[in-house]
């Protein structure tokens, strides 16, 4: 038996420490006459005897005697060890007596009486040696060791397909039957009916690594308290490398005289691999069933917008979810219970329809439909009902399971999408401007309206997937792409004028405005509105030409014009008007005061009175000829006329006036009149 180096072997000091704490041992030593004293560490099979005992047995002083085998006659060894172990494992601590024979150094048998006391910690046996005249009851005449194992119970082990084993606590020997190894496919290696092994060789080395520590610990616990049945389940390795589930059972053999255990444990091994695999399979089935039930319960009760109930052939509730119970109470004010007829719990507006569907499903029909109804709180709700027949193992329909899904929110979204679709279609297809929608990340066109197709000359199929940069002439791409990138980053866009490249190759002047960015999911889009400004550009050019012609005409006719917006106060002087006053065009801000200060002081009052009466008060428009003083100091005579525009209520909205320099005309008229006068006289 392996010695634990951490536990010191018993010695004189250990013995007297033991005596100090054990009153029974003290009494034994004080009341008996003995030839020697001894102490034995049960667990580690370490023996100590006094020097007086060594001397009695003719051993030299300090001779080391480690175990009982050095002292006991081999013929009596097994019997003596059984008796010692019997003392060790007795539940009480009473003093025991053992008769045996020791042989001395000359191998002479000497009968002794050993009086035995067990330590309070059950780790040691201690006592005295006394010479006896009587021989002990010997096992020397019993059957040889092997014959013990060839006992009549071996046939029972074989018949029951059990592997037999016996463990000798004192020697640490494990005896195993051939059937023991046959279970493990190792019988060919062990041909004897019974054979002796160490505990590790015959057992522990074959135990599964995950089981060995617990198995060993449990076995040691039983050795320390060998009462009742020893049993445990573990795995042992088959010769083919597989693992065999073994049910180990055993029992300590008891002394028939006093029912105390000998140092022998007899047991069996039973192969329960098939049962264990069935247990594992059943356990998996149970776990799956529990998981399925948990999942089913979760499926039934977790969704917030799904109700489930089942009815029998009489349309009575068999089961329903909490959600359905809550819905019936909330929407219809009905408190439902198992056995209640469903049609009695529904409002009259939908009860006939639900009843009809249930009747159809009870005939085997699977139905999915959407129903709309108004709750008792006047709210419109939408539900999708699924009716499924319940069919038993015999193929008969016993009821109907109904899944009710509240799709109100989904319907509201669908309706909103339809509204938005209609609005989008109206805006998109009805717009006079061309609309191009591009994905902001890629710049690719994803949609265009009819006006865009007509404007650019490509079909819709050609435009979808085209990059938006291909809509413009190459010389404008840098500006257009810069504006596009700026808008995608800042979401701010000023209208820009550029050209659209028609499919035919000619350029169309356009003005681009953009909507705000919008997203569908995580994808951003931009809608560009392209307005054809060809006519606008032509009109602008025409206006520019007209203004140029007017300006030239004013110069030739020596006239100027003025427009006054009486609502906003804005005044516009033509270039000729500025010139007549001696100014460069747009060099001063047009105003009434700016003009009046150039009117000759002697004519100002007359001019202002004329302006108020003829222009502001909408009187007959007569011209007036005031003198003005130009910026260069020249005094010129102007012919001023104008007209005022009023609304239906008489409110003055606009004034349009014309001035003409008639200084030379007045001079020549005066000269002509003077000449005529002179001729007449």
């Amino acid at each position: 038996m392996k010695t634990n180096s951490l536990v010191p072997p018993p010695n004189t000091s250990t013995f007297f420490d033991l005596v100090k704490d054990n009153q029974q041992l003290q009494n034994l030593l004080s009341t008996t006459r003995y030839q020697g004293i001894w102490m034995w560490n049960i667990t580690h099979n370490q023996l100590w005897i006094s020097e007086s005992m060594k001397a009695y047995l003719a051993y030299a002083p300090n001779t080391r005697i480690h175990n009982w085998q050095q002292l006991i006659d081999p013929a009596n060894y097994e019997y003596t060890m059984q008796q010692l172990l019997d003392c060790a494992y007795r539940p009480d601590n009473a003093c025991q007596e053992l008769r045996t024979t020791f042989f001395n150094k000359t191998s002479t048998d000497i009968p002794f009486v050993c009086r035995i006391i067990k330590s309070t910690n059950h780790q040691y046996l201690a006592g005295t040696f006394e010479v006896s005249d009587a021989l002990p009851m010997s096992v020397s005449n019993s059957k040889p060791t092997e014959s013990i194992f060839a006992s009549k119970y071996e046939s029972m082990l074989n018949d029951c397909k059990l592997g037999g084993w016996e463990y000798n606590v004192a020697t640490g020997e494990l005896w195993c039957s051939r059937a023991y190894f046959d279970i493990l496919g190792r019988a060919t290696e062990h041909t004897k009916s019974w054979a002796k092994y160490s505990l590790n060789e015959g057992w522990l080395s074959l135990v599964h690594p995950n089981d060995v520590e617990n198995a060993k610990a449990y076995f040691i616990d039983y050795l320390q308290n060998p009462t009742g049945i020893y049993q445990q389940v573990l795995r042992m390795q088959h010769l083919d490398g597989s693992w065999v589930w073994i049910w180990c059972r055993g029992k300590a053999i008891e002394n028939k005289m006093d029912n105390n255990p000998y140092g022998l444990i007899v047991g069996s091994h039973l192969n329960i691999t098939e049962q264990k695999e069935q247990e594992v399979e059943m356990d998996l089935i149970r776990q799956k069933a529990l998981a399925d039930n948990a999942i089913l319960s979760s499926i039934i009760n977790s969704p917030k917008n799904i109700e489930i109930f089942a009815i029998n052939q009489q349309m009575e509730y068999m089961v329903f979810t909490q959600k359905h119970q809550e819905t019936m109470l909330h929407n219809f004010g009905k408190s439902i219970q198992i056995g209640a007829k469903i049609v009695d719990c529904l409002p009259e507006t939908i009860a006939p329809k639900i009843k009809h569907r249930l009747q159809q499903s009870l005939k085997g029909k699977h139905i999915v439909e959407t129903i709309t109804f108004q709750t008792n709180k006047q709210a419109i709700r939408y539900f999708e009902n699924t009716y499924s027949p319940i069919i038993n193992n015999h193929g008969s329909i016993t009821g109907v399971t109904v899944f009710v899904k509240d799709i109100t929110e989904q319907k509201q979204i669908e309706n909103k999408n339809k509204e938005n679709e209609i609005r989008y279609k109206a805006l998109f297809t009805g717009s006079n401007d061309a609309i191009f929608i591009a994905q902001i990340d890629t710049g690719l066109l994803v949609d265009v309206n009819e006006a865009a197709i007509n404007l650019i000359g490509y079909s819709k199929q050609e435009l979808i997937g085209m990059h938006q940069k291909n809509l413009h002439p190459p010389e404008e791409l840098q500006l257009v792409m810069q504006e596009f990138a700026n808008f995608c980053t800042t979401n701010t866009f000023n209208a820009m004028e550029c050209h659209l490249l028609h499919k035919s190759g000619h350029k169309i002047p356009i003005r681009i405005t953009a909507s705000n960015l919008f997203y569908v999911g995580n994808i951003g889009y931009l809608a560009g509105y392209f307005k054809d400004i060809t006519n606008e550009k032509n009109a602008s050019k025409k206006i520019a030409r007209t203004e140029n012609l007017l300006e030239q005409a004013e110069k030739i006719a020596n006239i100027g014009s003025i427009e006054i917006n009486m609502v906003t106060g804005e005044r516009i002087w033509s270039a000729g008007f500025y010139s007549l006053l001696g100014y460069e065009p747009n060099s001063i801000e047009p105003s009434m005061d700016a003009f009046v200060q150039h009117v000759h002081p002697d004519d100002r009052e007359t001019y202002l009175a004329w302006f108020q009466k003829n222009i502001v008060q909408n009187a007959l428009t007569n011209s007036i000829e005031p003198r003005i003083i130009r910026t260069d100091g020249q005094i010129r005579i102007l012919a001023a006329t104008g007209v005022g525009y009023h609304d239906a209520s008489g409110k003055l909205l606009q004034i349009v006036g014309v001035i003409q320099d008639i200084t030379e005309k007045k001079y020549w008229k005066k000269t002509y009149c003077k000449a005529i006068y002179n001729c007449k006289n």
Side-chain angles (χ1 to χ4, degrees):
M1 189 172 289
K2 189 175 179 180
T3 302
N4 187 340
S5 60
L6 297 179
V7 179
N11 50 41
T12 307
S13 176
T14 311
F15 181 84
F16 285 108
D17 285 342
L18 198 62
V19 172
K20 244 183 351 179
D21 298 328
N22 194 310
Q23 186 62 45
Q24 283 184 304
L25 194 52
Q26 293 174 20
N27 294 338
L28 177 64
L29 295 176
S30 62
T31 58
T32 60
R33 297 179 65 181
Y34 50 86
Q35 277 67 46
I37 56 177
W38 59 274
M39 181 167 59
W40 179 43
N41 186 313
I42 303 167
T43 305
H44 300 284
N45 193 23
Q46 295 171 328
L47 180 66
W48 170 84
I49 66 174
S50 66
E51 292 298 320
S52 61
M53 184 62 183
K54 292 178 187 177
Y56 194 88
L57 296 175
Y59 286 97
N62 299 319
T63 300
R64 298 190 66 184
I65 297 177
H66 300 291
N67 53 58
W68 292 110
Q69 286 177 310
Q70 294 175 259
L71 298 177
I72 303 174
D73 186 337
N76 292 326
Y77 177 74
E78 185 175 344
Y79 169 78
T80 303
M81 293 306 299
Q82 288 178 357
Q83 296 301 306
L84 286 170
L85 290 171
D86 178 55
C87 295
Y89 294 128
R90 286 179 64 90
D92 60 78
N93 295 322
C95 180
Q96 305 294 316
E97 184 178 295
L98 169 64
R99 295 180 180 272
T100 187
T101 56
F102 292 164
F103 55 87
N104 62 12
K105 191 173 182 182
T106 61
S107 299
T108 302
D109 287 342
I110 304 173
F112 274 94
V113 174
C114 293
R115 303 191 188 278
I116 306 168
I117 299 294
K118 182 165 55 176
S119 66
T120 53
N121 62 7
H122 295 190
Q123 186 176 3
Y124 296 99
L125 291 182
T128 61
F129 293 118
E130 299 173 35
V131 178
S132 172
D133 294 331
L135 287 173
M137 179 175 29
S138 175
V139 295
S140 60
N141 295 324
S142 62
K143 294 180 182 179
T145 305
E146 281 203 39
S147 67
I148 296 174
F149 300 108
S151 63
K152 61 183 179 181
Y153 69 84
E154 186 172 344
S155 60
M156 180 183 69
L157 292 175
N158 293 332
D159 290 342
C160 296
K161 297 182 180 180
L162 299 174
W165 58 271
E166 298 186 10
Y167 180 71
N168 191 314
V169 179
T171 64
E173 295 169 348
L174 178 68
W175 287 80
C176 302
S177 72
R178 189 178 188 280
Y180 177 99
F181 290 102
D182 191 39
I183 291 173
L184 304 175
R186 301 173 183 270
T188 54
E189 301 176 11
H190 308 276
T191 56
K192 292 183 179 181
S193 294
W194 289 83
K196 179 176 68 175
Y197 306 90
S198 68
L199 192 65
N200 186 66
E201 179 189 9
W203 183 49
L204 293 176
S205 63
L206 301 175
V207 177
H208 194 286
N210 292 345
D211 299 344
V212 67
E213 290 301 325
N214 288 337
K216 184 178 179 181
Y218 184 77
F219 187 70
I220 291 174
D221 286 344
Y222 187 79
L223 292 181
Q224 293 175 351
N225 185 25
T227 57
I229 300 297
Y230 158 80
Q231 61 178 343
Q232 61 173 321
V233 175
L234 47 80
R235 289 166 288 180
M236 295 182 70
Q237 192 171 39
H238 195 276
L239 184 64
D240 63 9
S242 63
W243 295 98
V244 181
W245 284 96
I246 300 294
W247 184 19
C248 305
R249 303 191 76 211
K251 191 175 189 309
I253 300 300
E254 295 179 347
N255 188 327
K256 298 296 184 181
M257 301 296 295
D258 55 10
N259 293 327
N260 286 322
Y262 291 115
L264 187 66
I265 301 174
V266 178
S268 65
H269 277 188
L270 176 63
N271 183 351
I272 60 168
T273 303
E274 186 177 348
Q275 296 93 314
K276 195 67 178 177
E277 288 174 348
Q278 290 175 352
E279 285 180 15
V280 171
E281 185 178 354
M282 288 302 297
D283 188 53
L284 290 175
I285 292 172
R286 281 193 296 270
Q287 290 180 13
K288 187 176 185 304
L290 289 173
D292 289 346
N293 286 337
I295 292 171
L296 180 60
S297 177
S298 176
I299 290 173
I300 290 175
N301 290 304
S302 292
K304 301 300 182 184
N305 62 339
I306 296 180
E307 307 166 33
I308 304 174
F309 65 88
I311 57 98
N312 57 21
Q313 286 280 357
Q314 291 72 42
M315 295 192 188
E316 297 169 338
Y317 277 115
M318 294 192 298
V319 67
F320 48 77
T321 61
Q322 182 179 351
K323 175 64 178 175
H324 179 65
Q325 187 178 33
E326 292 172 353
T327 299
M328 294 296 288
L329 183 62
H330 181 267
N331 289 340
F332 308 127
K334 294 288 186 178
S335 179
I336 62 174
Q337 58 186 358
I338 302 299
K341 288 187 177 295
I342 185 172
V343 291
D344 296 337
C345 302
L346 295 170
E348 295 179 356
T349 53
I350 62 172
K353 187 173 185 178
I354 299 295
K355 181 179 180 180
H356 177 64
R357 294 304 187 203
L358 290 172
Q359 288 172 337
Q360 287 180 303
S361 190
L362 284 170
K363 293 178 181 179
K365 191 173 182 180
H366 184 86
I367 304 168
V368 179
E369 70 168 355
T370 299
I371 63 170
T372 306
F373 69 89
Q374 194 172 43
T375 68
N376 57 358
K377 295 186 178 181
Q378 305 303 310
I380 301 297
R381 307 296 297 179
Y382 299 87
F383 289 90
E384 181 183 84
N385 292 356
T386 302
Y387 303 82
S388 299
I390 301 172
I391 303 175
N392 64 18
N393 295 334
H394 305 291
S396 301
I397 297 175
T398 59
V400 176
T401 300
V402 183
F403 295 81
V404 182
K405 183 178 181 181
D406 188 338
I407 58 171
T408 303
E409 185 175 348
Q410 177 184 333
K411 277 291 184 181
Q412 289 172 344
I413 293 173
E414 287 178 4
N415 293 338
K416 188 66 177 178
N417 287 340
K418 286 180 181 178
E419 291 177 12
N420 292 338
E421 202 173 297
I422 293 171
R423 292 174 183 172
Y424 172 81
K425 188 174 181 180
L427 293 173
F428 192 65
T429 60
S431 174
N432 292 326
D433 292 336
I435 302 176
F436 296 84
I437 299 178
Q439 186 177 331
I440 60 175
D441 290 340
T442 63
L444 299 179
L445 298 176
V446 296
D447 202 1
V448 296
N449 67 349
E450 193 67 28
I453 295 170
N454 296 333
L455 179 62
I456 198 169
Y458 288 101
S459 68
K460 188 167 186 174
Q461 290 74 17
E462 291 174 314
L463 288 171
I464 300 302
M466 180 187 291
H467 198 283
Q468 58 96 12
K469 68 181 181 181
N470 296 328
L471 302 176
H472 307 282
E475 62 271 17
E476 295 181 357
L477 277 183
Q478 184 176 358
L479 176 62
V480 172
M481 295 305 292
Q482 182 178 345
E483 287 294 328
F484 180 80
N486 179 64
F487 180 80
C488 293
T489 304
T490 64
N491 205 21
T492 57
F493 185 83
N494 295 321
M496 66 174 295
E497 293 185 1
C498 57
H499 289 85
L500 183 71
L501 193 61
H502 193 271
K503 184 177 181 179
S504 64
H506 73 271
K507 301 174 186 177
I508 303 171
I510 57 172
R511 181 181 296 111
I512 302 176
T513 56
S515 66
N516 290 331
L517 294 176
F518 63 94
Y519 288 83
V520 178
N522 296 323
I523 302 176
Y525 297 92
L526 173 65
Y529 296 82
F530 289 43
K531 184 176 181 60
D532 184 353
I533 57 174
T534 301
N535 294 334
E536 186 178 321
K537 285 288 186 182
N538 292 337
S540 296
K541 290 178 182 178
K542 186 175 181 180
I543 291 171
R545 287 196 300 270
T546 302
E547 288 179 347
N548 184 52
L549 289 173
L550 180 60
E551 185 176 345
Q552 297 301 321
E554 284 184 345
K555 287 182 180 179
I556 294 171
N558 210 13
I559 63 177
S561 61
I562 180 174
E563 294 181 25
I564 305 173
N565 187 325
M566 298 304 291
V567 177
T568 64
E570 181 184 14
R571 279 175 163 75
I572 300 174
W573 289 354
S574 69
F577 198 99
Y578 279 102
S579 179
L580 289 177
L581 298 178
Y583 292 105
E584 291 295 325
N586 300 316
S587 58
I588 67 170
E589 184 71 23
S591 68
M592 185 68 169
D593 291 340
F595 176 75
V596 171
Q597 71 177 358
H598 286 281
V599 176
H600 195 285
D602 295 341
D603 297 343
R604 283 177 188 169
E605 186 175 343
T606 303
Y607 171 77
L608 291 173
W610 170 84
F611 183 84
Q612 182 67 27
K613 179 179 179 181
N614 288 274
I615 304 301
V616 177
Q617 296 178 5
N618 200 21
L620 293 175
T621 304
N622 299 314
S623 61
I624 188 174
E625 298 178 352
R627 291 169 293 172
I628 63 166
I629 302 174
R630 284 167 48 92
T631 56
D632 58 7
Q634 293 185 48
I635 296 176
R636 310 292 290 179
I637 302 172
L638 301 179
T641 186
V643 62
Y645 296 94
H646 299 74
D647 62 13
S649 65
K651 181 180 179 180
L652 181 63
L653 300 178
Q654 187 179 26
I655 295 174
V656 178
V658 178
I659 59 174
Q660 182 180 19
D661 188 341
I662 59 171
T663 304
E664 282 73 16
K665 182 180 178 180
K666 293 292 282 186
Y667 173 77
W668 287 112
K669 184 178 181 180
K670 185 178 180 180
T671 302
Y672 175 76
C673 290
K674 186 176 181 180
I676 293 297
Y677 178 78
N678 290 334
C679 288
K680 287 182 178 182
N681 294 326

